[in-house]
Amino acid sequence: MVRKTDDLDQSSFVATDYELNSAFTFENWVVGDANELATSAAIAVSEQPGKQYNPLLIYGSSGLGKTHLMEAIGNKVQELEPNAIIRYITTDDFMNDWVDAISKKKTAEFTSNYENVDILLVDDIQMLQGKTVFKKIFNIFNKITKSQKQIVMTSDVLPKDIPGLNTRLVSRFMQGVAYDIQKPDYPTRLAILKNKAEETGMNIDIQTLSLIAEEVDSNVRELEGAFNTLTLMARSGKKINVANAEKILEHLNITKQKVITIEDVQRVVAEEYDVSLADLIGKKRNSDIVMPRQVAMYLIRHLTDISLPKIGQAFGGRDHTTVMHGTEKIADLIEKDLTVKQRIETISAKIKERQ
């Protein structure tokens, strides 16, 4: 990322504006079960910014490609509308700009820079934790969305899970839609590695790529790190093969995480709540079944990289929105009820112990 600046005197205010990474495109993005919904929403936004999914929030753990997907929106809009005003900013720099504008008595310039855009891309809104600039952000976001301009944000967590974030701001951030990106599954990881090999023009056998895809199951960043180390080895004259790939994985201290399946979670939850597995995944909606079912959905979301649609299929063919509602309900209960929190932590530990 390169920050665009102008040669102005020290009393002038210059809003931060990063160049989009030209490599972060939809063409270079691998779609899998773990990011399918977020990708669909991102493409829709890039084709009709400000018309739907506004604001769009993409959330998930670090290293899964949130920034890539967000910048892909900006790059696509720039391609379709070369004159579009696109501003890409990190949350930290947004706050620094606000402090700078106040100190230089340039708040009007600050507001103008951020409101007069076609798309505002904001990275890492979880950094708003405990900050007091919510009124200014709220007003700017209001102006942009009311003008039918687009806002796209990324976060490690949902806004409601950001400690100390003002409730009005949480409501504003969630006014559009929020889609998460989970850890990529094996087929997606292998596809990512194949794409990297093609991009670099390297001839790497499928057994070597499969080994890396099998072992590096944490996030995309670590996956690409392992691949880049492999290419450095090749440039130093060493062969790219399974044996050398194993050495790299050992050097990077990468060990494959134990795989938890949907069935693992369902069995343990059914036992803990003393309900039958058939009822847990079936159509019954009485309260003594609904609660364990939602707990199982919640734990699958937090212990695996399985997508919402696949979870829904595993519970009697339910829609992904039903899964989302169930997991959010349990997340709220965990915050409010210590007994529920402790019980779910106990169940989670038992699931992990059985691996």
Side-chain angles (χ1 to χ4, degrees):
M1 281 191 315
V2 179
R3 176 176 174 167
K4 293 188 283 188
T5 58
D6 298 318
D7 294 326
L8 298 172
D9 62 73
Q10 291 184 346
S11 64
S12 298
F13 168 75
V14 181
T16 303
D17 189 10
Y18 288 107
E19 296 278 4
L20 294 172
N21 187 332
S22 60
F24 287 170
T25 66
F26 289 119
E27 289 73 24
N28 293 335
W29 176 256
V30 177
V31 183
D33 286 341
N35 62 30
E36 186 176 9
L37 294 174
T39 303
S40 296
I43 292 173
V45 163
S46 72
E47 292 173 345
Q48 289 189 308
K51 304 300 182 185
Q52 57 181 329
Y53 306 141
N54 195 20
L56 170 63
L57 172 64
I58 303 166
Y59 70 99
S61 302
S62 297
L64 297 178
K66 300 186 298 294
T67 299
H68 182 141
L69 194 53
M70 181 175 71
E71 290 198 51
I73 295 172
N75 280 318
K76 188 64 177 180
V77 171
Q78 209 162 55
E79 176 190 327
L80 298 174
E81 298 287 342
N83 295 324
I85 301 172
I86 303 169
R87 183 173 293 280
Y88 169 43
I89 184 75
T90 68
T91 299
D92 268 344
D93 281 322
F94 179 93
M95 292 186 292
N96 290 337
D97 280 356
W98 176 235
V99 172
D100 187 37
I102 292 173
S103 68
K104 293 176 178 176
K105 296 181 172 57
K106 299 285 184 178
T107 55
E109 286 87 342
F110 172 92
T111 301
S112 177
N113 270 281
Y114 280 102
E115 286 185 348
N116 296 319
V117 296
D118 293 302
I119 298 186
L120 178 63
L121 308 174
V122 188
D123 221 349
D124 294 327
I125 64 165
Q126 76 276 358
M127 299 306 294
L128 287 170
Q129 176 178 335
K131 300 298 188 294
T132 58
V133 296
F134 84 89
K135 188 174 182 181
K136 173 54 64 175
I137 298 172
F138 184 85
N139 291 338
I140 287 174
F141 275 43
N142 255 353
K143 178 73 178 291
I144 293 173
T145 53
K146 284 182 178 179
S147 301
Q148 292 191 309
K149 305 301 183 181
Q150 181 70 47
I151 298 172
V152 183
M153 305 170 289
T154 72
S155 176
D156 286 353
V157 296
L158 281 169
K160 68 182 182 64
D161 296 325
I162 300 174
L165 188 62
N166 181 273
T167 53
R168 288 180 69 201
L169 207 51
V170 171
S171 177
R172 169 56 66 197
F173 287 166
M174 295 301 293
Q175 183 178 356
V177 295
Y179 287 111
D180 68 338
I181 298 178
Q182 293 288 313
K183 293 191 302 179
D185 57 15
Y186 171 77
T188 305
R189 296 196 300 270
L190 184 57
I192 290 170
L193 291 174
K194 286 180 178 178
N195 274 10
K196 294 290 290 182
E198 289 176 8
E199 286 173 15
T200 56
M202 302 196 71
N203 184 20
I204 305 176
D205 63 86
I206 190 65
Q207 289 81 10
T208 301
L209 293 179
S210 297
L211 172 68
I212 297 173
E214 185 73 30
E215 295 296 325
V216 186
D217 62 350
S218 51
N219 59 50
V220 177
R221 192 173 294 156
E222 283 198 3
L223 189 68
E224 292 180 341
F227 179 86
N228 292 337
T229 305
L230 194 68
T231 59
L232 285 174
M233 178 180 283
R235 291 192 183 103
S236 68
K238 295 181 180 178
K239 291 182 179 180
I240 299 182
N241 53 31
V242 170
N244 282 331
E246 286 175 341
K247 290 178 183 178
I248 288 172
L249 295 173
E250 184 178 353
H251 175 72
L252 295 175
N253 196 29
I254 292 174
T255 55
K256 184 183 174 187
Q257 298 179 6
K258 293 176 179 178
V259 177
I260 295 173
T261 67
I262 288 177
E263 292 75 18
D264 293 331
V265 177
Q266 288 174 333
R267 279 195 296 270
V268 174
V269 171
E271 290 173 8
E272 288 297 311
Y273 283 91
D274 195 24
V275 298
S276 72
L277 192 56
D279 284 344
L280 187 72
I281 65 178
K283 301 294 184 183
K284 288 186 178 180
R285 295 188 53 80
N286 39 310
S287 58
D288 60 332
I289 295 296
V290 171
M291 175 71 171
R293 183 181 295 142
Q294 290 176 337
V295 168
M297 291 176 176
Y298 172 87
L299 287 169
I300 291 167
R301 286 299 284 160
H302 285 75
L303 297 177
T304 77
D305 57 5
I306 298 167
S307 67
L308 291 169
K310 281 202 170 181
I311 296 174
Q313 291 171 14
F315 285 87
R318 287 175 166 81
D319 187 80
H320 75 273
T321 56
T322 302
V323 180
M324 188 180 296
H325 170 75
T327 56
E328 288 177 355
K329 186 173 181 180
I330 297 302
D332 287 339
L333 280 174
I334 288 172
E335 286 186 5
K336 298 172 184 176
D337 192 324
L338 181 60
T339 303
V340 172
K341 180 181 179 182
Q342 290 173 339
R343 185 169 193 184
I344 290 177
E345 286 175 350
T346 300
I347 296 171
S348 178
K350 288 184 178 181
I351 293 167
K352 293 173 183 177
E353 286 170 5
R354 293 197 181 187
Q355 299 309 302

